[in-house]
Every structure is written in C-alpha cells, then in structure tokens.
DNA sequence: CCCAATGTAGACAGACCTGTCTGGTAATGT
DNA sequence: ACATTACCAGACAGGTCTGTCTACATTGGG
C-alpha cells in the first residue's frame, strides 16, 4: 500500500466535488474518505484550490483521451463526439458538466479554476474547428461557436431535464446547426 | 425608514448571491450590507435556504414581468425575447443565469431552490410552446425544447465567453433552429 | 393611549472550515 | 544497513458559518 495516496485523494475529490459541489465538500471529508492523513494531503497539494485545479485538469485530460479514441474524421467524428456527449449527459448520475459547475461556483474570473475551464473551452472549440475544416465547412470559425453552444446546452439539459430529453434534442439541434 | 427591511434584505441578497455565489456569501454579510439586525432577518426569513428561494422567485417574477412587456406575437415576439436574452447575457456585470448558477451550487435535486429552477424552466418552455404555436410551427413541443436549449447555451456563453460572442452566435443559432 | 408588530444591537452556542504542527511508522533506494 | 521519502493519526489555531437569544427602541392601528 502507500504510494497511491495521491491517486486516492484525486479519485475521492473527483467523486465528491462532482457529486456534491466543491464548496460543500471539505478537506476533512476528502481525507477521511480517501483514507489519508491530513499531512499527506497537504504534502501532495498545497491548498484546496490546488486540488480543485488538479481535479478539473484530470477531468480535462480524461475527456481529451476519450475523444481521441473516437474513430472517423470530419462530420463522422463530429457526430461521434456529440453522440458520446449526449450519452454521458443522459446517463444516470450525471450532475452537469464539471467545468460549468465549477465556473458557477467560482464567481471570480481570476480564480485558478476558471483558468482550467477557459483552457477546456478553447480546446473544445479548436477541436470543433478542425473537424469542421476537415469536412469542408464554409465557416469553421462560426460553426465551432455554434457547436460549443450546443455542447453547453446539452450539459445543462442533461443535468436539469428528464434524461432522454437532452439526447434527443441535441441530435435534432446538431442536424440543424450543421446543415445551413 | 423601517418598514422596508425585508426589501433591503432581498435586494442585498440578490446583489451578493448573484454576484458572488450563494455558498460564498454568509448571512452575516447580508445583514451587514442591508443594514438590518439579525433578529429582523430571521423574523422575515426562516432560514438562509428560504432567502435563497425568495431571491430566485423574485428573479423569476422579474423576468416574467419583463417578457410580458415585450410587444408582438408568434415569431416576432420570439425574436424579441431572444434579443433581450442575448442583450442581457452580453451586458457587463453578467455572471451567468441565476437559475443555472443556483442549480450548479445545489447538487441535491430535492433542495427547495431546485424546485424554483424547475418551475422557471417549465414556464419558459411553455412560453416558447405558445409562441411557436401562434406562429404555426409544425411541432411546438420539439421546437420549445430546442429553444430552451438555446436559452441555456446563451446564458453559459455570456458568462464564460467574450461579450459579443454570445449575442452573435445566439442570433445565428436561432435562425437555424427556427427554420427547419 | 396602548398594544402588537417591527425594528436595532450584539452576545452566544455549536458546528464546520482551512491549514499547521508534532510524533511515530512503513516502505524504498542506494 | 541506513537515510530518505511517503505515509498515518490526530491535536490545534483562528476563522466563519447558521441560527437563537436577550434587551431595548420605534411606529401604527384600534
């Protein structure tokens, strides 16, 4: 046992921060559920804010890796990406987009966590831009903004509306937004 | 002075809750900035949760009243509503949709605040349904879901993207979502 | 005029928060 | 074998949180 304390902390933080919100979950609870000493926690993370950033960054890395495995190029890949998003957003236990929730919790745009959120959004948009360009879309720049919009909307709907609504409506919207 | 303590509390709560987040603003701060005694606060609101619900409900009422003053019917009114939304979301000081932010802060769907959010969403969607029906839209039910999606997306974008992006992208998306 | 409602000021309890610190244990690398 | 590193357990400080309480002032309706 032992060399995996950091991983246990990150896993527990991901579960609790995502499931219950960053502000409502304290360090004490994380170290208790991770089975870790307080000194160990502060050995690996200099503060709670640092842990929040690490949690978001790990989430970012995971999503980047997941989308990279999806097959296809251009529009086919685009549809695969949104199918995956819609699937996740309609799955049980979905509690909204981790980045959007974090942004809502940290009102100050200068907060480090907001930086990770901004990086994520920039990455997602550039992915959309690339896929639209591959497809020969007339205006990948404007198109990517529409698709970022759709991504956000699907996440919100998945969190607040009946499970299937987000998936079906996203499909319909994707069609309309792509064929212009 | 005096008979307006409740209003001062509500105004202060709206400003602070919206601007800095519900969890980060304490009762002590609200009563201090509202210039009100603690006993007075707990005389008007039985708990902080009750104040949060009152804040959201007031916001709901305000938006309902605002949309009611917009002229036109059918598609004209629809476009007026979204123009207003986009304008608000692109204005300085916009920190996201109060309902979406509150929903993100209260992870438990059974929290009273989440009830107000659900009521708001149901109202907005029924408004969309009505306007689409007036316009002779072939499927107001599905259409209203698309427009709720767009509303959410505009709010998120207004909070996280450069000011003008939300407005322009919303306009473009509205066109595509309405003409099928 | 008097009573009830509404207001102010602020102490207090009990809980929880983050972050620091001490002290001791187990695994690792050289 | 031994030093280093990672780890566990838990006390502690200093602050903030919600909600209750006492004690007193003001105001308006009957």
């Amino acid at each position: 046992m032992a060399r995996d304390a950091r991983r246990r902390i990150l896993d527990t933080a991901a579960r609790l921060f995502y499931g219950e919100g960053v502000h409502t979950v304290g360090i004490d609870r994380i170290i208790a559920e991770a089975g870790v000493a307080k000194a160990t926690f502060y050995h690996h993370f200099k503060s709670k804010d640092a842990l929040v950033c690490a949690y978001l960054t790990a989430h970012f890395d995971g999503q980047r890796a997941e989308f990279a495995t999806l097959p296809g190029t251009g529009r086919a890949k685009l549809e695969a990406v949104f199918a995956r998003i819609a699937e996740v957003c309609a799955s049980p236990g979905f509690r909204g987009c981790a980045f959007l929730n974090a942004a809502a919790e940290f009102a100050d745009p200068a907060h480090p966590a907001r930086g990770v959120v901004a990086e994520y959004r920039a990455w997602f948009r550039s992915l959309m831009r690339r896929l639209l360009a591959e497809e020969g879309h007339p205006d990948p720049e404007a198109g990517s903004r529409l698709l970022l919009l759709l991504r956000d909307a699907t996440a919100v709907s998945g969190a607040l509306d009946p499970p299937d609504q987000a998936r079906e409506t996203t499909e319909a919207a994707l069609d309309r937004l792509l064929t212009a």
Side-chain angles (χ1 to χ4, degrees), chain A:
Chain A
M1 57 191 66
R3 269 318 185 307
D4 53 348
R6 187 177 207 277
R7 177 117 319 262
R8 289 206 309 278
I9 293 169
L10 263 180
D11 289 347
T12 307
R15 179 169 51 87
L16 296 181
F17 282 165
Y18 179 72
E20 305 183 24
V22 173
H23 285 318
T24 63
V25 173
I27 292 295
D28 283 340
R29 178 121 176 265
I30 289 176
I31 66 169
E33 297 202 16
V36 148
K38 206 161 200 178
T40 303
F41 171 81
Y42 281 101
H43 170 74
H44 286 289
F45 302 94
K46 85 174 223 298
S47 66
K48 184 183 180 181
D49 277 353
L51 176 64
V52 173
C53 288
Y55 146 63
L56 291 176
T57 301
H59 201 74
F60 185 3
D61 292 341
Q63 199 163 126
R64 202 156 22 185
E66 188 181 2
F67 285 175
T69 70
L70 293 178
T73 60
R75 172 141 183 175
K77 174 133 185 179
L78 211 79
E79 286 180 359
V81 166
F82 272 94
R84 180 83 191 108
I85 291 176
E87 185 193 330
V88 169
C89 293
S91 67
F94 183 72
R95 212 191 64 73
C97 167
F99 303 107
L100 298 188
N101 287 348
E105 286 206 68
F106 295 101
D108 179 7
H111 191 283
R114 291 287 293 268
V116 183
V117 174
E119 278 173 38
Y120 170 79
R121 294 177 75 74
W123 164 78
F124 186 87
R125 205 152 86 78
S126 79
L127 172 63
M128 295 296 106
R129 217 163 22 221
R130 182 166 65 77
L131 295 179
L132 287 174
E134 278 175 15
E135 182 206 331
H137 188 281
D139 190 347
E141 180 65 26
S144 72
R145 285 201 284 259
L146 288 172
L147 294 178
L148 178 61
L149 223 68
L150 181 57
R151 192 216 77 92
D152 294 336
T154 302
V156 170
S157 180
L160 301 179
D161 297 328
D164 285 338
Q165 187 168 317
R167 190 160 33 74
E168 290 164 13
T169 312
T170 294
E171 268 178 46
L174 182 60
D175 242 28
R176 284 179 171 75
L177 292 180
L178 283 179
T179 68

